[in-house]
Amino acid sequence: MHGTEAQKGVDERLYDVGELTRVEGEGSLRLRVRNGKVLEARFGIFETPRYFEQLVVGRTPDEVIDIVARICGICPVAYQMSAVHGFEDLFGVRIDPAVRALRRLLYCGEWIESHALHVYLLHAPDFLGYESAIAMAADHRPLVEQALRMKKAGNQLIRILGGRSIHPVSVRVGGFSRVPKRRELEDHRAAMAAGLELAQATVRLTAGLPMPAFTREPRVVSLRHAAEYPFNDGRIVSSDGIDLAPSEWRSAFEEHQVEGTNALHARTLDGKGAYLVGPAARVVLAAGQLHPLAKEALEESGQSDLIRTNIYASIVARSVELVHAFAEALDIIDAYRPPTDPLVPWTSRPGVAAWATEAPRGLLFHRYEVDEMGRIRAAQIVPPTSQNQAAIEKDLITAAAGVLDLPHAEATVRLEQMIRSYDPCISCATHFLDLRIDEA
Amino acid sequence: MTHAPVAARPRVGVVKFASCDGCQLTLLNLEDELLSIVEHFEIVDFPEASSSRSAGPYDVLFVEGSVSEPAHVERIVELRRRARFLVTIGACATAGGIQALRNWGDHDAFRASVYAHPEFIHSLAKSTPIAEHVPVDAELRGCPIDPGQLVELLTALTTGRRPQLRDESVCMECKRRGVVCVMVSKGIPCLGQVTQTGCGAICPRYGRGCYGCFGPREQANAAGLARHLQAAGDRPQEEVGRLFAGFTAYSEPFRSMVTDLGGTRTGRRETVDGGPLGDNDARH
Amino acid sequence: MVMTSSGRGPKPIAEGPAFLARADLQVLLDLLREDGRTLIGPTLDAGAIVYDEIASVEDLPRGWGDEQGPGRYRVRRRSDERLFGYVVGPTSWKKWTFPSLIPLTKGTRDGHRVSFEPAPIDAPKLAFLGVRACELAALGVQDRVLAGGPFTDPDFVARRAGIIVVAVQCTTSAPTCFCTSMGTGPEVTSGYDLSLTELDDGFLVAAGSRVGRDLLERLPLRPASATEQYGAAAVVANVRARIGDPVTADGLHDRLLAQLDHPRWAQVAERCITCGNCTLVCPTCFCTTVSQSTDLTGDHALSERIWDSCFSPGFAKVAGGSFRSRPRDRYRQWLTHKFATWLDQFGTFGCTGCGRCITWCPVGIDVREELNAIAPAVSLAPEAAIVEPVAAAPNDFVAARVLATRPETPGTVTLSLTGTDPAFARGSTGQFAMVALPGFPPLPISISRFLPDGIELTIRGAGPATKALAGLQIGDQVGLRGPLGNNWPLDRAVGRDLVIVTGGIGLAPLRPVIHAIIADRRRYGDVKLFYGARTPVDLHYRDELERWSKQDGIDVSLTVDRAGPEWHGRVGVVTQLFDQAVWDASNMIAFVCGPERMMQATATTLAGRGVPASRIYVTLERHMECGIGLCGHCQMGKYFVCRDGPVFSIAQLGDNFGREGI
């Protein structure tokens, strides 16, 4: 239902999309503005809960790794990483350094396929005026083919390390059940090198896209590491002073249920409310650790400030991270020697296993209580999309003013485009997210 | 599997119930074939990938995800009416998925343990496969489905032939590929003997046991395997039960194994277990 | 021909046996790889010794061996540096002669026209290093199946042609080997170009063909010494002795095909997962299927041949259903094909005794055990005891010592005796001994238990002689002659249900039967014991009865004629007990022991329930004085009970059983 009501000088607009498209999962959008004032801004997610935090109760750590991957088909590696590092931290497991490098390589593969998917297949059509990448291919076939080649390179990398590109099988507490031979990675190198060039071209492309006007500088949160761009290690930091060990998310953040929704909102304990996680947050907080080639691409794009203040520019941040992922992956491949201890033995200890890693979409925190038998007693999983809810809410309000002058249909598309800037991964939300703002 | 007469350029829809999205993503992951596929098939409704919508009718409808809330029940019936040829894709749609583990548990306890106000959560007591609600014309198993099998189905649809989806054990694929049996050579429990092939024997190839994500094969002797694992491996019953309590646990005969042997504690309110499980360190 | 460093003159090494030093083995590998030939040999990978492309001696599994058993395989470090010190692993040479996937035909459709183009055969030049005798036989079997009939497989023929086969004599074996039984090893005898036997310092080399002789001439060899030749022969002979003869292949074809309705098929089907591992790991299985794939247009199709297995449910399917829908049917198909009908089709067994199907069956089903259960090579009639006792004359007894005594019931005692005639150690269930004390008549007493170093006798003190025996104390001696008589035919009970009916002390001669069943419980079906006694305290071996029932899988039904206040079981005669029992007479065998009237009544009831007379066995008691058929007392009809019995089938006894005055 779209429409305007002109009635005795009342200008009421309703933008309502019952089922968002080109987002992962099932969500809806509803924005009601009267006389320029936002009365209702709702980002509803009607994804069915699957109760993963209960499904893992009673299981062993390796089973948990297999199970939590199924929270998301686009970012299963992220779930496996947050879980495995948490368990290894609690059990005092020291992995072979080559195994650590392989884990980063696996994460590179996931970032590549996820970012390539989002930039080209999910988000770019908005900027170029198409309903889908398939429709876009009719006029821009080489562009879509490039996207598919990049995505394939990332998927193939995960396949080599993990057996298949979705829900890989080789990640285990203590390492990998199988590590690749040098030859397998060498054979893939050419595709990765070609992908790097395509990623650099992607930064140039997205930096040149028509960017809708939008200004809001959100609080940002991500991992930050002294030597590496954050994947599976680093301290949790924010743009306003939070600085925690990766297991300590609960010291500064919490989830709570909001009246009238099924959401478990995430917020900071200091009461300052919304924050943003994801590529834009990482570029703001950790650009110093980007691979030199990615730094170069970012600088040449001239978009650092825009990324900080305009959520639509996250597409550029994502493209810069594509360059980083390809570049770091190539470095790891070139230096790779199979680990002497691909899988070290371990015994469980009772206690709390907690860790945060950077999924393609942002900070992903896991916390497991492990009992004396080595089984999970309780679990908490906080996906990035859950944490972005409050920020989305704020951005909807900010965006409202900017769309009122547009024809209704175009305005609706613009609002969807804004939501897509978050690359929401709604299946990840093991909880419902349904946000309502009271009358402003 | 029934065969529908194939239209010149079949109208295709892709819909999602309770799932992780991985099976639909497999279609988008056919990078080499995708642009050719969209020439032979008209994708009329695929919300994940396109804003162009259609409520049907569909010549071919791919359904991902399990029926998990009241609204799903009506929705699948309506979709069935609008689809000539309905294909379920993935363990959620074909077997109820990992979320079907709650079918053994106390549903109310589930909701209450996750949500402080469970009354606002609308989900069904059970997560069930699509075929329990409507007739299904073809199924692609797996968690996620195998890209090769998806291509096989698509090429079969354009040709009007039967897709070659072999119903045999994963062992066959291991042996064809020269993968050394992890159960015999390393003592790692592996469900491959009772699981339908299709994945290319990924898990044994990668040095671990199969966990049955393609579901039980026809005439799977799960009871025989369970007996052997307990006796020869000296494993407690509950550990063997947990092997079957995976992504296709709700399909028979895995379902009976889970019920008889135990292996899922999901849904129970108690949080501390003093020890009736009876085994020691976590096995890895 | 190459001269050795010792400068010896030319010798006819081309005939062998010659010796190749360990350090020179690489020369052979290099020769085998000449002209772009691919060398396949053993190598260690992912915890198994597999066959793969190799180039150097360094690729070989130096110092590695393996441990194998049903469903179990582990590599292990040897204490030496042997290169071939392992037994066959999961790969077979079939991987190269008959690969798991080959393209067959390219099909094209162009409007109305269709065309079929055979896919080109890609047959590389190969050399095999490390082929065992069982594997040579398997290659021979493949030759017959795939290239020996009216239609040949061109892919196999192309691949097989020109393979240089370097065989290796087995210097070790696994518990799963049975090449000896199948007549294929362990000695390498034919089908090879070169054969190697590994010794400490090198290899004994012999040629088996012209290609082999040509190779020999180019190797740095010297003549093998007599010690080396003897050593090589001894090692292989040791292997033969270690393997033994697990399966009687003589007559196996007929024996197996006579057992198509054996209950064991259903029993093994409960364990068998029909996973197909056995068939794919087997070096001779050749069943395949053809799979089709097309492109999106449907105009281009490729068909490929892949390994298939008769164990898959769909293997024998047609539109109406499957010809072999039950797992037991498919297991039977495989076993009878491999060990019987293959002989009819191709003139040899399909099996070469390599043991892979035993090791690589994930649930450890052992085909040798199944064959011996279903089609054993044993005589079916009860035989006279084949063991010659030391005390074999009417005047001869050997003293044994009482080790323990135990009151069984008021009036009966079980004596444990040790230091017995060694013949007792090889006695069988149902036999008896003549037991004597000086001054007392010798008495025939059933042996109620066989122990490694003695026997048990359960004795009812009825008269002076038995009272004297029953009163023996620990350390006392007693004279024994035996073991005498024949035995309960337990081999006829393999794979069948067994019903044992007895009362009172009659359980004594049947107790060893139950012990033997428990020791090998899986070979038998349902085992039911119906046992009655006058009163509860007259039940013998009460603690064993409980254990048999609770732990050992014996279905025990008890009854007493007269109950006391603590008896909660049945009351009545034992024949009433099994009147109500349910069983399948077609697959049942019965052993009965008790007073003759009780045995008659039982036999009548059993026969009335459909159990054939040839499968009802009784044990007769007659007046015996010598126990060895010389005193004439124990005649019954044409039989001497002590020598032809005491165990008889009702069919043997015929009308005489139960006839007054015989």
Side-chain angles (χ1 to χ4, degrees):
Chain A
M1 285 172 345
H2 314 268
T4 65
E5 256 183 59
Q7 177 191 330
K8 289 210 194 134
V10 172
D11 173 19
E12 179 149 326
R13 317 284 183 89
L14 175 65
Y15 305 97
D16 192 335
V17 178
E19 197 180 334
L20 289 168
T21 59
R22 281 185 282 116
V23 294
E24 191 290 320
E26 299 171 288
S28 67
L29 150 68
R30 189 177 162 87
L31 178 66
R32 196 151 64 89
V33 185
R34 179 186 290 164
N35 292 337
K37 223 164 82 152
V38 173
L39 295 185
E40 187 185 337
R42 179 192 298 204
F43 175 35
I45 296 183
F46 46 94
E47 183 78 29
T48 316
R50 287 173 293 150
Y51 303 112
F52 274 87
E53 287 154 331
Q54 264 299 316
L55 295 181
V56 297
V57 167
R59 312 301 296 240
T60 63
D62 275 338
E63 289 176 322
V64 170
I65 291 172
D66 291 331
I67 292 173
V68 296
R70 271 72 182 180
I71 292 176
C72 180
I74 307 185
C75 55
V77 168
Y79 284 87
Q80 296 186 332
M81 291 293 110
S82 288
V84 78
H85 283 287
F87 290 125
E88 285 171 354
D89 185 49
L90 172 63
F91 302 154
V93 179
R94 310 207 42 203
I95 54 173
D96 191 304
V99 165
R100 190 179 188 281
L102 281 176
R103 286 199 181 148
R104 287 187 69 85
L105 187 59
L106 187 61
Y107 235 147
C108 286
E110 178 153 282
W111 278 30
I112 289 170
E113 61 86 4
S114 176
H115 284 350
L117 172 79
H118 189 262
V119 167
Y120 281 97
L121 270 62
L122 305 188
H123 209 193
D126 285 336
F127 291 86
L128 296 173
Y130 292 95
E131 285 189 306
S132 69
I134 294 165
M136 200 162 84
D139 299 333
H140 300 280
R141 192 176 174 109
L143 205 65
V144 176
E145 283 174 341
Q146 283 170 27
L148 294 175
R149 273 208 293 281
M150 274 192 281
K151 194 156 88 61
K152 181 178 175 186
N155 277 328
Q156 185 60 13
L157 190 53
I158 303 174
R159 206 172 282 129
I160 292 171
L161 294 173
R164 57 184 167 197
S165 57
I166 301 173
H167 307 323
V169 306
S170 61
V171 176
R172 307 274 84 194
V173 175
F176 286 88
S177 62
R178 179 187 185 273
V179 292
K181 302 189 165 83
R182 259 196 72 79
R183 175 72 179 276
E184 296 172 72
L185 288 174
E186 276 167 5
D187 286 347
H188 188 51
R189 197 194 185 284
M192 294 295 286
L196 172 61
E197 286 184 15
L198 292 174
Q200 289 165 322
T202 303
V203 176
R204 291 191 288 274
L205 168 75
T206 54
L209 290 172
M211 206 62 68
F214 183 99
T215 305
R216 184 175 85 83
E217 182 167 343
R219 272 170 89 197
V220 287
V221 172
S222 81
L223 291 184
R224 184 166 60 203
H225 189 283
E228 13 177 84
Y229 200 65
F231 281 151
N232 36 13
D233 200 359
R235 295 186 64 82
I236 303 174
V237 299
S238 75
S239 48
D240 58 355
I242 294 175
D243 186 341
L244 307 165
S247 49
E248 296 299 308
W249 185 85
R250 280 154 62 121
S251 308
F253 301 85
E254 67 172 2
E255 288 184 300
H256 67 117
Q257 189 169 10
V258 169
E259 179 70 51
T261 85
N262 299 334
L264 287 188
H265 252 227
R267 65 183 174 196
T268 45
L269 297 174
D270 56 16
K272 289 193 199 156
Y275 60 94
L276 170 69
V277 299
R282 289 190 291 254
V283 167
V284 167
L285 290 171
Q289 282 73 43
L290 279 169
H291 190 282
L293 290 175
K295 250 188 235 174
E296 190 183 306
L298 176 62
E299 271 159 30
E300 278 174 11
S301 77
Q303 304 263 303
S304 298
D305 285 336
L306 207 63
I307 286 171
R308 215 176 58 244
T309 59
N310 182 345
I311 191 61
Y312 291 92
S314 71
I315 195 173
V316 183
R318 223 162 264 116
S319 309
V320 168
E321 288 194 332
L322 258 180
V323 174
H324 174 89
F326 272 110
E328 176 164 352
L330 280 163
D331 288 347
I332 295 176
I333 289 173
D334 287 337
Y336 176 64
R337 293 284 178 282
T340 37
D341 283 317
L343 187 63
V344 299
W346 54 274
T347 33
S348 69
R349 290 179 200 163
V352 172
W355 203 261
T357 67
E358 285 286 341
R361 288 158 190 79
L363 194 75
L364 170 63
F365 174 70
H366 285 205
R367 182 181 182 278
Y368 302 98
E369 285 175 32
V370 181
D371 68 17
E372 295 73 25
M373 303 293 219
R375 308 288 176 79
I376 306 309
R377 180 191 296 149
Q380 178 184 20
I381 298 172
V382 186
T385 302
S386 301
Q387 297 174 76
N388 276 343
Q389 277 308 284
I392 293 180
E393 151 199 346
K394 281 196 150 153
D395 279 351
L396 267 178
I397 300 176
T398 307
V403 304
L404 292 178
D405 293 334
L406 296 174
H408 198 99
E410 204 182 310
T412 309
V413 168
R414 180 69 59 82
L415 292 171
E416 289 183 84
Q417 182 182 1
M418 192 280 292
I419 291 186
R420 290 193 191 102
S421 302
Y422 281 85
D423 187 4
C425 193
I426 297 170
S427 294
C428 288
T430 51
H431 329 296
F432 260 106
L433 299 174
D434 183 335
L435 183 70
R436 176 208 296 259
I437 301 180
D438 289 334
E439 315 235 356
Chain B
M1 195 192 94
T2 59
H3 295 279
V6 169
R9 192 167 169 241
R11 289 165 51 87
V12 173
V14 182
V15 298
K16 175 186 189 306
F17 286 77
S19 64
C20 80
D21 199 62
C23 291
Q24 327 175 36
L25 187 62
T26 303
L27 179 57
L28 295 176
N29 278 357
L30 294 177
E31 293 101 358
D32 291 338
E33 297 90 345
L34 188 63
L35 293 178
S36 175
I37 287 170
V38 302
E39 279 168 32
H40 285 87
F41 294 90
E42 189 191 347
I43 315 269
V44 301
D45 191 52
F46 190 177
E48 161 83 26
S50 171
S51 304
S52 166
R53 305 299 310 272
S54 161
Y58 313 101
D59 292 311
V60 182
L61 183 65
F62 289 101
V63 179
E64 177 194 287
S66 69
V67 170
S68 205
E69 60 176 65
H72 286 171
V73 181
E74 297 152 34
R75 183 169 167 232
I76 188 60
V77 169
E78 188 51 42
L79 284 169
R80 173 74 265 198
R81 232 178 260 138
R82 302 189 196 159
R84 272 166 108 191
F85 194 79
L86 192 152
V87 184
T88 44
I89 54 173
C92 297
T94 61
I98 186 73
Q99 60 270 26
L101 285 180
R102 78 161 182 273
N103 300 359
W104 280 268
D106 175 354
H107 181 238
D108 290 333
F110 260 91
R111 295 188 306 182
S113 68
V114 175
Y115 299 97
H117 292 281
E119 58 273 16
F120 293 121
I121 311 294
H122 296 290
S123 56
L124 294 168
K126 284 184 160 41
S127 161
T128 45
I130 301 294
E132 277 197 24
H133 302 273
V134 296
V136 165
D137 297 305
E139 64 176 22
L140 289 176
R141 308 245 208 118
C143 184
I145 58 176
D146 175 73
Q149 290 200 322
L150 177 56
V151 171
E152 170 62 20
L153 181 79
L154 291 169
T155 59
L157 283 172
T158 55
T159 322
R161 65 178 177 85
R162 186 190 299 273
Q164 311 246 276
L165 303 169
R166 305 189 58 77
D167 182 7
E168 57 186 22
S169 65
V170 178
C171 304
M172 303 278 288
E173 204 50 36
C174 269
K175 288 296 188 285
R176 289 189 191 113
R177 288 168 185 255
V179 175
V180 177
C181 178
V182 297
M183 203 153 123
V184 169
S185 73
K186 296 195 170 78
I188 298 176
C190 178
L191 288 187
Q193 303 149 68
V194 290
T195 301
Q196 185 169 316
T197 190
C199 59
I202 298 176
C203 285
R205 252 195 302 135
Y206 275 74
R208 55 163 298 172
C210 163
Y211 52 76
C213 71
F214 271 63
R217 62 187 183 96
E218 196 186 323
Q219 290 190 347
N221 186 2
L225 176 59
R227 272 195 301 271
H228 173 80
L229 288 171
Q230 285 176 79
D234 194 23
R235 288 188 179 83
Q237 174 176 301
E238 179 265 351
E239 182 186 324
V240 176
R242 258 191 297 117
L243 268 179
F244 291 99
F247 305 93
T248 54
Y250 199 59
S251 290
E252 286 294 1
F254 292 178
R255 195 202 294 193
S256 295
M257 290 295 108
V258 175
T259 305
D260 294 344
L261 301 173
T264 169
R265 292 177 49 228
T266 48
R268 295 221 216 123
R269 280 185 186 263
E270 75 257 12
T271 54
V272 176
D273 186 347
L277 296 173
D279 79 338
N280 308 314
D281 352 311
R283 285 180 188 268
H284 42 272
Chain C
M1 194 201 72
V2 176
M3 300 282 280
T4 66
S5 53
S6 67
R8 282 231 195 95
K11 276 200 140 188
I13 288 179
E15 300 307 315
F19 190 85
L20 178 71
R22 195 168 279 283
D24 291 329
L25 185 62
Q26 186 64 43
V27 178
L28 173 61
L29 268 61
D30 293 336
L31 282 178
L32 292 171
R33 294 181 68 232
E34 263 181 354
D35 301 326
R37 190 175 289 269
T38 307
L39 175 60
I40 313 291
T43 189
L44 181 66
D45 184 37
I49 295 174
V50 299
Y51 299 141
D52 204 349
E53 256 185 64
I54 59 167
S56 132
V57 171
E58 295 315 303
D59 297 327
L60 296 171
R62 184 204 309 272
W64 284 99
D66 52 64
E67 286 166 4
Q68 303 193 34
R72 190 172 193 278
Y73 177 97
R74 296 288 189 279
V75 290
R76 62 167 186 89
R77 269 237 154 258
R78 294 174 59 98
S79 56
D80 58 28
E81 296 287 282
R82 290 298 177 100
L83 296 171
F84 298 101
Y86 57 90
V87 182
V88 295
T91 27
S92 71
W93 304 102
K94 171 169 111 169
K95 187 172 164 184
W96 287 272
T97 58
F98 195 68
S100 62
L101 185 150
I102 58 161
L104 266 188
T105 315
K106 291 194 193 150
T108 337
R109 191 140 62 169
D110 180 13
H112 298 293
R113 293 200 305 270
V114 299
S115 70
F116 295 97
E117 199 189 298
I121 296 174
D122 164 33
K125 281 194 311 192
L126 297 172
F128 290 166
L129 172 64
V131 185
R132 304 312 176 94
C134 58
E135 299 181 306
L136 290 171
L139 286 169
V141 169
Q142 281 199 312
D143 287 335
R144 280 174 185 255
V145 172
L146 298 167
F151 299 100
T152 61
D153 184 75
D155 187 84
F156 173 79
V157 168
R159 285 174 198 276
R160 182 79 172 93
I163 298 181
I164 299 182
V165 176
V166 179
V168 160
Q169 295 273 15
C170 289
T171 54
T172 184
S173 66
T176 48
C177 292
F178 60 111
C179 56
T180 50
S181 298
M182 304 315 296
T184 59
E187 303 84 359
V188 165
T189 50
S190 67
Y192 60 93
D193 296 303
L194 267 189
S195 99
L196 305 177
T197 310
E198 189 171 15
L199 302 169
D200 283 333
D201 299 326
F203 304 87
L204 214 69
V205 185
S209 71
R210 210 196 59 205
V211 168
R213 283 195 287 278
D214 291 343
L215 278 171
L216 268 193
E217 300 205 346
R218 301 170 64 198
L219 289 169
L221 300 171
R222 61 160 171 77
S225 71
T227 319
E228 285 157 355
Q229 291 182 55
Y230 176 74
V235 142
V236 180
N238 272 344
V239 170
R240 173 174 278 281
R242 259 174 58 166
I243 298 175
D245 186 17
V247 173
T248 305
D250 257 352
L252 179 57
H253 170 283
D254 291 348
R255 291 203 310 273
L256 193 52
L257 290 179
Q259 296 296 344
L260 296 180
D261 296 316
H262 200 289
R264 181 79 176 207
W265 299 118
Q267 286 166 5
V268 70
E270 288 194 12
R271 298 171 58 205
C272 174
I273 318 283
T274 63
C275 62
N277 270 299
C278 47
T279 50
L280 263 55
V281 89
C282 172
T284 62
C285 271
F286 61 89
C287 287
T288 54
T289 188
V290 177
S291 101
Q292 312 288 339
S293 61
T294 53
D295 66 359
L296 279 169
T297 65
D299 292 333
H300 300 94
L302 175 65
S303 67
E304 292 167 313
R305 185 195 78 189
I306 61 175
W307 287 348
D308 202 351
S309 170
C310 53
F311 277 97
S312 286
F315 190 76
K317 246 188 204 158
V318 294
S322 170
F323 282 104
R324 279 181 227 120
S325 56
R326 301 177 302 182
R328 77 177 75 161
D329 302 327
R330 302 200 287 270
Y331 191 85
R332 182 178 66 183
Q333 157 64 18
W334 181 60
L335 210 65
T336 54
H337 189 209
K338 202 57 72 173
F339 291 97
T341 51
W342 201 294
L343 207 53
D344 300 316
Q345 294 169 333
F346 303 110
T348 66
F349 285 113
C351 172
T352 60
C354 72
R356 281 186 181 88
C357 58
I358 302 170
T359 299
W360 297 97
C361 170
V363 295
I365 295 172
D366 185 333
V367 287
R368 302 167 300 179
E369 191 184 308
E370 298 310 306
L371 286 171
N372 286 332
I374 294 167
V378 291
S379 133
L380 297 181
E383 287 170 358
I386 50 170
V387 176
E388 287 296 313
V390 170
N395 52 1
D396 210 356
F397 290 94
V398 173
R401 198 175 75 250
V402 176
L403 188 61
T405 85
R406 184 175 74 241
E408 281 296 341
T409 71
T412 67
V413 162
T414 295
L415 297 179
S416 270
L417 303 174
T418 186
T420 46
D421 181 335
F424 279 103
R426 290 164 65 192
S428 349
T429 68
Q431 290 190 300
F432 64 97
M434 296 302 289
V435 186
L437 287 171
F440 291 93
L443 302 170
I445 311 243
S446 295
I447 298 168
S448 68
R449 187 181 199 141
F450 286 90
L451 295 163
D453 184 35
I455 57 172
E456 281 185 2
L457 302 172
T458 300
I459 301 171
R460 180 169 61 209
T466 42
K467 283 205 176 100
L469 291 174
L472 289 174
Q473 297 302 308
I474 297 177
D476 286 343
Q477 286 192 325
V478 67
L480 295 180
R481 181 187 309 140
L484 302 172
N486 67 353
N487 55 347
W488 296 102
L490 205 50
D491 53 317
R492 285 207 74 197
V494 168
R496 291 206 150 98
D497 296 333
L498 185 56
V499 160
I500 301 176
V501 187
T502 183
I505 199 176
L507 184 52
L510 286 164
R511 178 173 172 244
V513 169
I514 297 176
H515 290 157
I517 290 171
I518 290 169
D520 207 357
R521 184 68 188 83
R522 267 210 331 247
R523 303 184 78 203
Y524 307 95
D526 279 345
V527 177
K528 289 182 167 39
L529 168 64
F530 298 100
Y531 179 43
R534 255 198 264 141
T535 71
V537 300
D538 294 312
L539 292 164
H540 289 63
Y541 318 116
R542 273 190 298 271
D543 50 345
E544 283 188 57
L545 284 171
E546 181 156 342
R547 204 170 53 242
W548 295 343
S549 170
K550 287 221 167 81
Q551 283 174 235
D552 296 325
I554 312 288
D555 182 1
V556 177
S557 302
L558 303 175
T559 184
V560 294
D561 296 344
R562 241 177 28 247
E566 272 144 34
W567 179 254
H568 303 292
R570 288 198 201 78
V571 176
V573 294
V574 72
T575 38
Q576 287 171 350
L577 252 192
F578 68 79
D579 266 349
Q580 284 128 38
V582 175
W583 57 59
D584 176 12
S586 67
N587 191 38
M588 210 183 80
I589 191 169
F591 295 169
V592 186
C593 174
E596 203 136 321
R597 273 205 210 291
M598 168 264 189
M599 292 197 291
Q600 283 165 33
T602 305
T604 307
T605 308
L606 288 171
R609 293 276 293 268
V611 186
S614 59
R615 276 198 255 124
I616 303 174
Y617 287 84
V618 295
T619 181
L620 298 185
E621 196 189 334
R622 285 293 186 275
H623 186 109
M624 292 181 197
E625 294 203 359
C626 69
I628 51 180
L630 293 174
C631 70
H633 281 270
C634 69
Q635 278 188 77
M636 192 266 206
K638 61 184 176 186
Y639 298 119
F640 287 99
V641 174
C642 69
R643 188 195 65 190
D644 304 313
V647 177
F648 295 95
S649 71
I650 301 297
Q652 279 177 297
L653 297 174
D655 283 340
N656 280 346
F657 186 58
R659 189 191 289 255
E660 191 71 37
I662 294 289

